[in-house]
Amino acid sequence: MSNPTAAMLVIGDEILSGRTRDANMHYLAGQLAPRGIDLREVRIVTDQHDRIVVALNALRAEYDHVFTSGGIGPTHDDITADAVAAAFGVGVDIRDDARAILAEHYTRTGLELNAARLRMARIPDGARLIDNPVSSAPGFSIGNVHVMAGVPAVFQAMVAALLPGLAAGAALYAQNLTIPRGEGEIAADLKALAEGFPELSIGCYPFQRDGAFGATVVVRGEDKTRVDAALVKLAALFPEAVA
Amino acid sequence: MSNPTAAMLVIGDEILSGRTRDANMHYLAGQLAPRGIDLREVRIVTDQHDRIVVALNALRAEYDHVFTSGGIGPTHDDITADAVAAAFGVGVDIRDDARAILAEHYTRTGLELNAARLRMARIPDGARLIDNPVSSAPGFSIGNVHVMAGVPAVFQAMVAALLPGLAAGAALYAQNLTIPRGEGEIAADLKALAEGFPELSIGCYPFQRDGAFGATVVVRGEDKTRVDAALVKLAALFPEAVA
């Protein structure tokens, strides 16, 4: 049985403009890997209705799950809920359960549940709410699409609420070794190693540190015994490597 | 005349697995914006031949430029040059000019130009080389696709070599104000402001700091006079805002 697959769609003018460095993608990737949900693709698109619809329909047809971030706040540029509804061909309106959550929150905090804030209760028909313990305005899941906020603290809280309810896969077992040599010197041995362990994923990630080149070799696989065997071979080939 | 458009394709198993947080996308976005080249979409795909080919063909058909990062080193998992050649339907082989660059570099550094390192001289037919002053192995441009390394220091050096040769657009003029209030309180005024300045892009980016909610409003446009006029209105609406 193969692992569930996933994609992420970032609705992100502020990332594409260079103003903000995305944090949610890296966070989500780190949460999915240990659950055996394979993040296969990420797309970042502008805050434009048609762009969101097209990307969402492409991704939800191809992967088991699509996680989105951004565009579900109260302002005029928050258009994700409407775009998601359009992608699914369903209606979207203020929903009583979402409104009740907001009403409780704003009563408690002494703020007004005004028209702008009520926009955050607009939920596509048939969606299930995702809890937001940080600022109350919910995310939602519809079909295999999970719609979450862009503010990192809220995104992370929604991911924490959502993931335990999704079927997990087999987490890949991973080990790595860092070799203080340029990739070009270790490439032939690595290639031979990869050919000897065709069931493993053996990646080589070069870096520069204090002017010197090095490479981190990451070995991943479902079978711990085989990953460890590959690591032993790798360590024998490069005695100067460090874990 | 509208600005040149751009997309980025990150070849990035290590990013999708959560091991590495991408830095190149944020760097590129920051370099393109002041040149008036509009970054409209980013895709991150796994290090798989077919994934790279499909994404590259989709993006190069839609945008004026496609910038890629990753997968052009000497190891077995570096498959970008072959995937790019396949996407364009051209051949790929070791090319004399690229080989000469590598030979000079490895002679100078006293290292062997072995078979693995020679892989970095594999260039798709018809491509133009992109200079790499950091570690010599070149990137390349073919058609509207610019293929660069994943190591951030090398990626940045290649971007610096490449961008002066690309036609620039009109850089958007941008100003921002940070308002120490929740988005929900300022949304109605912002919407009215956006309607009064339909030619401007007015984005609202909420944040949480020390437990309090705030929002940064970013106003962008080609006409400095109009952006400044919108800022004056915004500052009058929210006297507590700070630049």
Side-chain angles (χ1 to χ4, degrees):
Chain A
M1 218 183 64
S2 57
N3 279 349
T5 61
M8 181 175 185
L9 177 63
V10 179
I11 289 117
D13 269 3
E14 76 278 26
I15 293 167
L16 294 170
S17 74
R19 206 185 73 84
T20 302
R21 185 177 174 192
D22 176 76
N24 293 332
M25 173 178 50
H26 183 55
Y27 179 81
L28 181 68
Q31 294 295 307
L32 294 180
R35 283 178 173 79
I37 299 176
D38 296 345
L39 182 62
R40 297 271 181 86
E41 181 170 347
V42 176
R43 295 194 192 182
I44 308 176
V45 298
T46 54
D47 301 3
Q48 290 175 288
H49 182 89
D50 293 353
R51 291 289 163 175
I52 301 169
V53 171
V54 167
L56 199 60
N57 279 335
L59 294 173
R60 74 188 180 94
E62 184 154 1
Y63 301 101
D64 294 329
H65 296 286
V66 181
F67 301 88
T68 82
S69 74
I72 61 168
T75 59
H76 65 283
D77 57 340
D78 288 305
I79 60 172
T80 300
D82 288 82
V84 172
F88 279 87
V90 301
V92 53
D93 206 346
I94 293 172
R95 213 166 79 177
D96 287 345
D97 54 352
R99 181 211 291 260
I101 291 169
L102 293 175
E104 195 279 327
H105 173 77
Y106 287 108
T107 298
R108 184 162 41 81
T109 53
L111 297 169
E112 183 201 356
L113 179 48
N114 58 22
R117 288 177 171 134
L118 257 183
R119 271 174 58 80
M120 297 190 287
R122 287 171 61 78
I123 305 290
D125 295 347
R128 311 170 296 289
L129 300 186
I130 299 174
D131 193 31
N132 169 5
V134 174
S135 52
S136 94
F140 57 85
S141 295
I142 177 169
N144 60 341
V145 174
H146 313 288
V147 177
M148 295 178 286
V151 175
V154 181
F155 180 82
Q156 293 173 21
M158 288 180 173
V159 168
L162 176 68
L163 287 191
L166 302 184
L172 289 188
Y173 176 69
Q175 288 281 14
N176 62 74
L177 274 184
T178 294
I179 301 167
R181 297 210 215 166
E183 278 195 301
E185 283 184 45
I186 65 175
D189 284 331
L190 274 191
K191 188 180 178 206
L193 187 73
E195 285 164 0
F197 293 86
E199 77 279 32
L200 302 182
S201 150
I202 300 181
C204 185
Y205 305 109
F207 60 83
Q208 254 192 311
R209 202 171 289 154
D210 303 330
F213 284 91
T216 298
V217 178
V218 181
V219 181
R220 287 194 187 82
E222 293 183 13
D223 184 344
K224 178 178 185 307
T225 313
R226 293 292 285 166
V227 171
D228 288 341
L231 254 282
V232 167
K233 280 216 169 186
L234 193 62
L237 286 166
F238 305 105
E240 74 275 39
V242 292
Chain B
M1 218 182 66
S2 57
N3 279 350
T5 60
M8 181 175 183
L9 178 63
V10 179
I11 289 118
D13 268 4
E14 76 278 26
I15 292 166
L16 294 170
S17 73
R19 205 185 73 85
T20 301
R21 184 176 174 194
D22 177 76
N24 294 332
M25 174 178 50
H26 183 55
Y27 179 79
L28 182 68
Q31 294 294 308
L32 294 180
R35 282 177 173 79
I37 299 175
D38 295 346
L39 183 61
R40 297 270 180 86
E41 182 170 346
V42 176
R43 295 193 192 181
I44 308 176
V45 298
T46 54
D47 302 2
Q48 289 175 288
H49 182 88
D50 293 352
R51 291 290 164 173
I52 300 170
V53 171
V54 167
L56 199 59
N57 279 336
L59 294 174
R60 74 188 180 95
E62 184 155 0
Y63 300 100
D64 294 327
H65 296 286
V66 181
F67 302 89
T68 82
S69 75
I72 61 168
T75 59
H76 65 284
D77 56 340
D78 288 305
I79 60 172
T80 300
D82 287 81
V84 171
F88 279 88
V90 301
V92 54
D93 206 346
I94 293 173
R95 212 167 78 178
D96 288 344
D97 54 351
R99 181 211 290 260
I101 291 169
L102 293 175
E104 195 278 328
H105 173 77
Y106 288 108
T107 299
R108 185 161 43 80
T109 53
L111 298 169
E112 184 200 357
L113 178 50
N114 59 23
R117 288 181 171 131
L118 257 183
R119 270 174 58 81
M120 297 190 287
R122 287 172 60 78
I123 305 291
D125 296 347
R128 309 169 297 287
L129 301 185
I130 299 175
D131 192 31
N132 169 5
V134 173
S135 52
S136 93
F140 57 84
S141 295
I142 177 168
N144 60 341
V145 174
H146 313 288
V147 176
M148 295 179 284
V151 176
V154 181
F155 180 81
Q156 293 172 21
M158 288 181 173
V159 168
L162 176 68
L163 287 191
L166 303 184
L172 289 188
Y173 177 70
Q175 289 280 15
N176 62 74
L177 273 185
T178 294
I179 302 167
R181 296 210 215 167
E183 278 195 302
E185 283 184 46
I186 66 175
D189 284 331
L190 274 190
K191 188 179 178 211
L193 186 73
E195 286 164 358
F197 292 87
E199 77 279 31
L200 303 181
S201 150
I202 300 182
C204 185
Y205 305 109
F207 60 83
Q208 255 192 310
R209 202 171 290 154
D210 304 329
F213 284 91
T216 297
V217 178
V218 180
V219 181
R220 285 193 189 84
E222 293 183 13
D223 183 344
K224 178 177 186 306
T225 313
R226 293 291 286 166
V227 171
D228 288 341
L231 254 283
V232 167
K233 279 215 170 186
L234 193 61
L237 285 166
F238 305 106
E240 74 274 39
V242 292

